[in-house]
Each structure stands twice: as C-alpha cells, then as structure tokens.
Amino acid sequence: MLTINVTLLLAVIVFFRLRRRTEARSRFDQKLTVVIVLALGVLIAPTPAGQGILNILGQLASGVTQASR
C-alpha cells in the first residue's frame, strides 16, 4: 500500500528535522516542518494506528475535563 510507504518516509523526515537544534531553524524551516507534520497526520488518521491514537487522546481529554470539574 503506497500510503504506508509515504507515511513512513514522512515520519523519518520529521524525526530527523526535529532532532536539529531549535536555534538553528529559520522561520521557513519551522513552517516547512509544520506542513510536513500536518501531512503526516492526514496520512496516519485513516489507518488503524491513527484511530487508536485518536481514541487514546479522546480518553485523555475526557479524563482531564472530568478532573477539572
């Protein structure tokens, strides 16, 4: 499946881009990283792993909301 390969490639790119020191990044570099991460999120979302992440984050948000009451 092509989506998995593109997703894996984007994940590797994000990993290496985020390893760099923050001071060495320009505004363009930061914006490009955000665009790549958003594209990665769009590719991961419809997969079973993406659905699992969504469920975990939903439960976490629900727990935080209930704890603040």
Side-chain angles (χ1 to χ4, degrees), residues 14-31:
V14 167
F15 175 76
F16 283 112
R17 289 184 70 82
L18 293 179
R19 284 187 54 197
R20 292 178 43 204
R21 290 186 7 195
T22 305
E23 297 84 19
R25 295 186 188 147
S26 66
R27 284 192 184 263
F28 176 76
D29 195 29
Q30 290 175 347
K31 289 178 183 177

Side-chain angles (χ1 to χ4, degrees), residues 6-59:
V6 172
T7 304
L8 181 62
L9 176 64
L10 282 177
V12 169
I13 290 171
V14 167
F15 175 76
F16 283 112
R17 289 184 70 82
L18 293 179
R19 284 187 54 197
R20 292 178 43 204
R21 290 186 7 195
T22 305
E23 297 84 19
R25 295 186 188 147
S26 66
R27 284 192 184 263
F28 176 76
D29 195 29
Q30 290 175 347
K31 289 178 183 177
L32 183 61
T33 302
V34 168
V35 168
I36 292 171
V37 168
L38 286 173
L40 178 62
V42 168
L43 290 173
I44 289 177
T47 64
Q51 295 300 314
I53 292 169
L54 179 64
N55 288 337
I56 290 170
L57 290 177
Q59 290 175 2

